[in-house]
Amino acid sequence: MASCALITAVICVLITAVATIVAFATPNWLKFRGQNPTELCGNSRYLDSCNNCDCGLWLRCQGDITISGNLDNCRWFFANDFEIEQALPAWFKAVQGLMAVAVASSLLALLIGLFSLCCYCKSCNPHQAAGAFINLTFLLLTTAVCVFGAKAHTEAYAGVMAEPNSINPLFDWSFWVGVGAAGMSLISSILYFCVGRRDEIY
């Protein structure tokens, strides 16, 4: 029978995977409240400007999509022969890649964790494999949110809270979900380390 620590670890991995997918897919990493003079969200002289818009890793939307739920005012970065994607800075593309691999590694950790609940293997330790993948997820997520946070702050003066008489962009809820996913993946990694060590002892 699975231990309480193992079940807790699998639940934490599940929360990590869901949070990573939500952060990866939603267009709310940055909220622009005025002019966008940077290359963030593919803003350039060849494209329509992303003013007063929500910016994610894969699309940008005019207006608040969380209220309307309407994608008619959104533009995918891969549309029109990667028009917006090509205008993005290199570090933004790196964050896209890191988050994509983080989604894959979190799902692998979840599958291995679920397998370890129902199948017992004498010659292998699936907890170590799940722990390795969730640890990789932690490293990927931490790197992605740190790079995005640092570059968005230095290049677009993005902030955490709105300041008086300022229209600088704000880090939006998808970014903070990514931060939470990184924290949850660290907790999951520690739990799997403890479960794996206990199995080695016994």
Side-chain angles (χ1 to χ4, degrees):
M1 184 174 175
S3 66
C4 181
L6 176 57
I7 294 173
T8 304
V10 172
I11 292 172
C12 289
V13 171
L14 174 62
I15 295 171
T16 299
V18 171
T20 304
I21 292 170
V22 168
F24 178 76
T26 51
N28 298 93
W29 279 62
L30 274 181
K31 176 179 281 296
F32 287 96
R33 302 180 296 156
Q35 295 293 320
N36 175 15
T38 68
E39 293 180 339
L40 284 177
C41 290
N43 196 48
S44 74
R45 60 180 177 172
Y46 304 108
L47 299 170
D48 57 312
S49 59
C50 181
N51 300 329
N52 298 308
C53 71
D54 293 323
C55 176
L57 295 181
W58 307 105
L59 74 161
R60 66 186 198 189
C61 300
Q62 296 289 143
D64 197 340
I65 188 176
T66 56
I67 295 175
S68 64
N70 190 353
L71 290 175
D72 291 343
N73 295 325
C74 297
R75 292 192 61 184
W76 291 94
F77 292 177
F78 298 127
N80 300 325
D81 295 324
F82 302 91
E83 182 182 24
I84 297 177
E85 183 71 19
Q86 291 175 358
L88 294 173
W91 66 263
F92 197 103
K93 296 174 184 177
V95 172
Q96 289 176 323
L98 289 167
M99 288 298 295
V101 179
V103 169
S105 63
S106 66
L107 290 175
L108 277 171
L110 179 61
L111 289 174
I112 296 171
L114 292 173
F115 170 80
S116 69
L117 286 177
C118 59
C119 303
Y120 181 72
C121 178
K122 290 184 178 180
S123 60
C124 61
N125 189 346
H127 310 314
Q128 290 183 344
F133 277 112
I134 201 64
N135 193 38
L136 174 62
T137 303
F138 166 69
L139 295 174
L140 292 167
L141 288 172
T142 302
T143 304
V145 296
C146 286
V147 169
F148 188 92
K151 296 297 286 184
H153 179 70
T154 56
E155 293 188 7
Y157 304 105
V160 175
M161 299 179 65
E163 298 178 1
N165 304 319
S166 173
I167 58 171
N168 289 338
L170 299 175
F171 292 110
D172 213 353
W173 64 266
S174 296
F175 173 79
W176 296 115
V177 170
V179 173
M184 188 59 71
S185 63
L186 176 61
I187 294 171
S188 305
S189 180
I190 293 171
L191 286 171
Y192 265 116
F193 175 78
C194 294
V195 171
R197 291 288 294 173
R198 191 198 62 187
D199 286 355
E200 288 179 359
I201 294 172
Y202 294 104

